[in-house]
Amino acid sequence: MHGKVVIIPTYNEIENISRIIRKVFTLEGEYHILVINDGSPDGTAAAVKTLQKEFGERLFLIERAGKQGLGTAYLTGFRWALDHGYDYIFEMDADFSHNPDDLPRLYEACAQGGADLAVGSRYCDGVSVVNWPIGRIIMSYYASVYVRKTLGMKVYDCTAGFKCYSARVLRAIDLDKVKMRGYGFQIEMKYTAHKLGFKITEVPI
């Protein structure tokens, strides 16, 4: 078993990719990273390949042709992570909208706190969002309220994309049947985990 892998989907992230990778690798606990790059024309993949020479067997890259969407990128990453025997699988953005320093807190919620899925939540402790226009914050917040009331799922941040899954959750979900490809993917994955009876914990970020 390899422990922990952080999946980072990328499209034109040359400004951020090297910094985010180096930052994750400064954390204690031996995190691995899988970058899924959707044909970025800006050299994102080349930057990752350069860093692979430095970080060896901790940094991995899957290159896909063209923009295929966030959902399919994560599904590709989940299958790869399960095939490679990881115990904990993280979702994280490349643009620092998710703070890598929060990764250990998500991990601890699962590994020590008994959660099957830990969600980095912007709304479970008030509203905490960085660099978003107010309209997007309002839409995201009320989308979460609607989903929570309609689906009966006690998760405040249903659209959150900063998460830690225990491998047993991803093994239990039929990844071939996940329908959503955009941001609805985040809601569908949480709801499916909820329906299967897994324990979901929100960690304020």
Side-chain angles (χ1 to χ4, degrees):
M1 287 290 183
H2 297 280
K4 306 182 282 286
V5 64
V6 182
I7 301 172
I8 306 179
T10 57
Y11 182 78
N12 284 355
E13 290 289 353
I14 194 66
E15 298 291 322
N16 299 306
I17 193 61
S18 296
R19 284 192 304 129
I20 199 99
I21 288 169
R22 289 187 182 283
K23 175 61 181 172
V24 171
F25 285 152
T26 66
L27 300 172
E28 288 184 22
E30 188 70 15
Y31 291 83
H32 290 188
I33 295 174
L34 170 65
V35 175
I36 312 237
N37 183 61
D38 273 7
S40 302
D42 70 345
T44 298
V48 175
K49 286 173 184 171
T50 298
L51 288 171
Q52 281 182 309
K53 295 169 189 166
E54 183 178 341
F55 293 109
E57 288 301 299
R58 292 181 68 189
L59 177 59
F60 304 91
L61 172 68
I62 293 176
E63 295 184 79
R64 309 195 306 169
K67 289 185 78 171
Q68 298 181 41
L70 190 72
T72 65
Y74 277 126
L75 291 171
T76 296
F78 293 160
R79 291 185 183 99
W80 183 94
L82 293 176
D83 286 346
H84 288 78
Y86 286 92
D87 300 302
Y88 296 97
I89 297 105
F90 298 79
E91 293 184 15
M92 190 173 77
D93 289 347
D95 63 0
F96 284 92
S97 58
H98 301 146
N99 184 348
D101 286 329
D102 288 324
L103 286 167
R105 296 171 60 232
L106 293 175
Y107 169 69
E108 283 162 17
C110 288
Q112 277 98 48
D116 300 303
L117 168 58
V119 178
S121 178
R122 300 158 293 188
Y123 307 132
C124 70
D125 192 20
V127 177
S128 175
V129 179
V130 179
N131 294 333
W132 271 23
I134 188 68
R136 187 174 173 193
I137 294 170
I138 291 167
M139 266 182 58
S140 171
Y141 179 78
Y142 282 106
S144 287
V145 171
Y146 175 79
V147 168
R148 201 163 66 245
K149 292 192 182 314
T150 305
L151 301 181
M153 181 170 57
K154 293 188 175 89
V155 174
Y156 282 88
D157 195 347
C158 296
T159 61
F162 192 22
K163 306 203 292 258
C164 175
Y165 290 92
S166 165
R168 62 180 166 269
V169 178
L170 296 179
R171 280 196 292 267
I173 293 173
D174 186 344
L175 299 178
D176 292 329
K177 290 189 177 166
V178 176
K179 296 181 182 69
M180 299 286 189
R181 292 293 178 257
Y183 287 100
F185 167 81
Q186 303 294 6
I187 299 171
E188 182 177 0
M189 289 295 293
K190 293 183 192 73
Y191 183 58
T192 304
H194 165 73
K195 276 198 309 184
L196 290 169
F198 288 108
K199 181 183 176 185
I200 303 174
T201 296
E202 288 186 274
V203 176
I205 59 169

